[in-house]
Amino acid sequence: HEAKSTSSGLVTLTAAEIAPPSDRVRLLGELRRALENDELVVFFQPQVEVTTGALCGVEALVRWQHPRHGLLLPGSFLHVAENTALVGPLTSRVLDLACAQMQTWSAAGRDISVAVNLSARSLYDRRLVHQVRTSLDRYSVAPGRLRLEVTESAVMHDPRRALAVLTELADDGIPLSLDDFGTGFSSMSHLRMVPARELKIDRSFVRDMVREPDDAVLVRSTVDLAHNLGLAVVAEGVEDEQTLRQLERLGCDVMQGYHIGRPMRVDEFEDWLEARAPVHSSEVPA
Ligand code: C2E
Ligand code: MG
Ligand code: MG
Ligand code: MG
């Protein structure tokens, strides 16, 4: 299982700790109840332009406010939902939370774009396109404000089907991002067909790029590839100033990481925003 990052004092249980095989069924039941009781929340992590530091948008990252275990990271429960009928309602809930927040921000004069992650399962769920449209309509959000992140491995599971769904979403005007880019084995010919607007370079390449020349080469090549295809590049997992500087030299467009801001509850995020941009300064529309 993935290593758990701690942010904002999260309780970090591993999947095995809360879900040994015998407990999977119980966990599923709890998750179902969690959806009914509104225990799922989203945190927002800022994404900023590398050269100016201007806010481009935020990524919505789901957390489970568990009544006994505290705040759980997606690594400890998403995989349980993934192979069940719960993934649909979960995706739908996150979409609603993201769109509701965009509507609230718009009403306050802030047009902030929110990116939502799509799991592999939901990408192949026939109801996805309808769910996305329903959330946008319900909260009067323009399709261009929502962004959807899909991983290349999710796309590669069944490229033909994935491309049909992604094309439908892109035709609605929703910008798509290829998440965790570089970690999957994708064929360039398939990638070329994905109607994405941006690539997100996986944290595993960004993390050590200052110390590891090979990683720096991979980041540089990805930036060049993306730009040559007319796509923007987002670096995830930027944890220090040297990495930021190097990304700037390599021409990376947008970055995200603890060095800029951790995933935060909405009120914390708004404080973060206030602290770096005085109220009267105009915001760059996403
Ligand atoms: P991801 O989409 O690649 O999201 C980035 C992950 O890296 C997040 O972990 C974020 O907290 C973490 N991160 C961001 N900056 C840094 C950094 O500078 N250093 C380090 N060490 N980590 C950083 P998180 O929130 O635990 O989410 C993990 C994964 O769970 C996400 O990876 C995404 O694949 C999935 N996920 C999160 N929310 C949702 C959701 O609402 N729906 C679906 N389907 N998947 C989600
Ligand atoms: Mg993501
Ligand atoms: Mg990512
Ligand atoms: Mg990643």
Side-chain angles (χ1 to χ4, degrees), residues 136-147:
L136 291 171
D137 285 352
R138 184 174 291 149
Y139 299 101
S140 312
V141 173
R145 275 229 176 272
L146 176 68
R147 282 170 296 135

Side-chain angles (χ1 to χ4, degrees), residues 163-208:
L163 289 174
V165 172
L166 293 176
T167 302
E168 206 171 339
L169 293 166
D171 286 349
D172 274 6
I174 301 163
L176 306 178
S177 307
L178 269 177
D179 204 357
D180 298 351
F181 188 80
T183 58
F185 295 94
S186 33
S187 119
M188 286 291 166
S189 60
H190 281 128
L191 273 187
R192 207 162 44 88
M193 291 192 287
V194 180
R197 302 256 190 102
E198 66 182 21
L199 297 186
K200 295 188 76 176
I201 307 178
D202 192 63
R203 178 172 90 225
S204 57
F205 304 109
V206 176
R207 189 181 51 209
D208 302 319

Side-chain angles (χ1 to χ4, degrees), residues 223-283:
V223 170
D224 292 343
L225 170 74
H227 285 168
N228 289 332
L229 292 171
L231 306 175
V233 192
V234 183
E236 52 175 38
V238 178
E239 294 188 354
D240 54 58
E241 190 67 21
Q242 294 110 288
T243 306
L244 186 163
R245 294 286 157 236
Q246 195 170 0
L247 287 167
E248 190 168 17
R249 281 195 296 277
L250 297 180
C252 181
D253 305 293
V254 175
M255 63 186 172
Q256 181 180 350
Y258 294 170
H259 183 62
I260 294 107
R262 286 176 174 265
M264 294 169 262
R265 289 183 191 276
V266 64
D267 51 330
E268 291 177 281
F269 167 72
E270 286 170 354
D271 290 346
W272 175 92
L273 204 56
E274 290 297 321
R276 58 196 288 286
V279 274
H280 51 268
S281 87
S282 64
E283 258 148 36

